[in-house]
Each structure stands twice: as structure tokens, then as C-alpha cells.
Amino acid sequence: MEWTGARYADTPTVEARRTIAAPPGRVWELVTDIGLMPRFSAELQSADWLDGSRGVGARFVGRNRHEAFGAWETTSYVVEREEGRVFAWAVGDVEQPSAVWRFTLEAGEGGSTVLTQWARMGPGRSGLSYAIDRMPEKEQKIVHVRLGEWERSIDATLDGLKALAEGAGH
């Protein structure tokens, strides 16, 4: 991850993409299966829907664990869902989320899918905010390290989804 000097208030983002040799419908099934995501994450331990709905406004709880932050739970809200194309959620407060995560799918050549995962920090407070409060002089480094963790997590998720969609992860 390249040093940007970003601060939390800058709402920095990370993103990565993969071309997957599977049709968008198959990839969509996987990216909207929130219970599958912990399989690819060292941090996310479980995710469960809280409502019967899966559309915009639906909620799910994520249980996380991190060596430096301990264990915590968040409630996320689906903020964008365009069938077969976009699935996004805000963590915590919809108006002031601690993070927003998004999958975007595009039809690729030969029946493939181009899958992008994107994440934005803030603008609402998160666990990272408390670390920054304790060490404000290290804010840029704290943000940089966390963005690097997110980038590695996104890479692992995209690689895992690609393997499953292409039949290598069964």
C-alpha cells in the first residue's frame, strides 16, 4: 500500500478488482451471501442477517476479531442493491457510517465477470478513532496501517470469490 498521508477525516478508500471466469449471476450469488465472507477473512468471524429482507435497508450483524482491537460486533445496513450489479453496505450509522463497503459487478469478455470491491473509512467514528484519540500524532500511520489491512482483506476476499465462482473452491 502506497503512503498517502491520509487522515481519518479524509475518508480514504481502497479498491481492487478481479476478472472471474464465471457469469455475473454466479458471482452475484456469492457476493450477496454475507455468511460466506468470514471464510476469506482473518478478521470477520461471522455475519448473519437480522431481517427477512435482503434489499436496501436490510440489516446484518458482523462479529469481528483483531489482534490489536479485540472482539467487537457491528450492525451494517444495505445502502445500495442493484440486482446483479451493485451490493453495498454502511457499517453502524447509515448517515455517519464508520465504513462503507461495496461490490460492483460488470459483464466481462466471454461470459466472465469483472468484480470490484471498494471500501471507504468513515466519516463516522470507528474503533480506529479510539486509537487515533490516544495517539493523535500517529494518525496518518494508524490510518495507513489499517488501509493496508483492508487492502489485504479485499485481495483475499476477491481471490476466494474467484476460486469459488470458477469451481476451484468447492
Side-chain angles (χ1 to χ4, degrees), residues 7-154:
R7 296 184 178 279
Y8 193 83
D10 297 331
T11 61
T13 63
V14 293
E15 146 178 318
R17 71 179 35 92
R18 297 289 186 281
T19 298
I20 300 174
R26 170 67 179 137
V27 178
W28 178 255
E29 289 173 18
L30 297 172
V31 300
T32 56
D33 182 355
I34 62 158
L36 179 64
M37 296 305 142
R39 181 173 178 174
F40 312 120
S41 176
E43 189 169 304
L44 180 63
Q45 304 298 299
S46 67
D48 298 292
W49 290 104
L50 294 173
D51 306 310
S53 167
R54 299 293 184 265
V56 171
R59 302 173 306 139
F60 61 90
V61 64
R63 291 167 201 85
N64 302 276
R65 178 174 296 286
H66 185 282
E67 184 178 293
F69 303 120
W72 72 97
E73 233 177 61
T74 59
T75 299
S76 293
Y77 298 82
V78 176
V79 293
E80 194 176 355
R81 184 182 173 122
E82 184 182 334
E83 199 66 27
R85 294 202 20 85
V86 180
F87 180 60
W89 62 95
V91 181
D93 185 295
V94 174
E95 299 299 320
Q96 288 288 311
S98 60
V100 175
W101 293 80
R102 177 183 296 121
F103 285 109
T104 307
L105 293 76
E106 300 170 56
E109 293 182 22
S112 67
T113 304
V114 178
L115 177 62
T116 303
Q117 188 176 14
W118 171 93
R120 182 190 75 210
M121 229 179 241
R125 287 179 63 81
S126 71
L128 204 60
S129 302
Y130 300 102
I132 293 167
D133 290 348
R134 286 192 309 271
M135 300 174 283
E137 72 285 358
K138 294 183 179 180
E139 178 177 4
Q140 291 169 297
K141 181 175 183 176
I142 292 167
V143 168
H144 177 75
V145 167
R146 189 65 170 145
L147 287 172
E149 290 174 346
W150 280 15
E151 190 173 74
R152 288 186 296 281
S153 178
I154 285 174

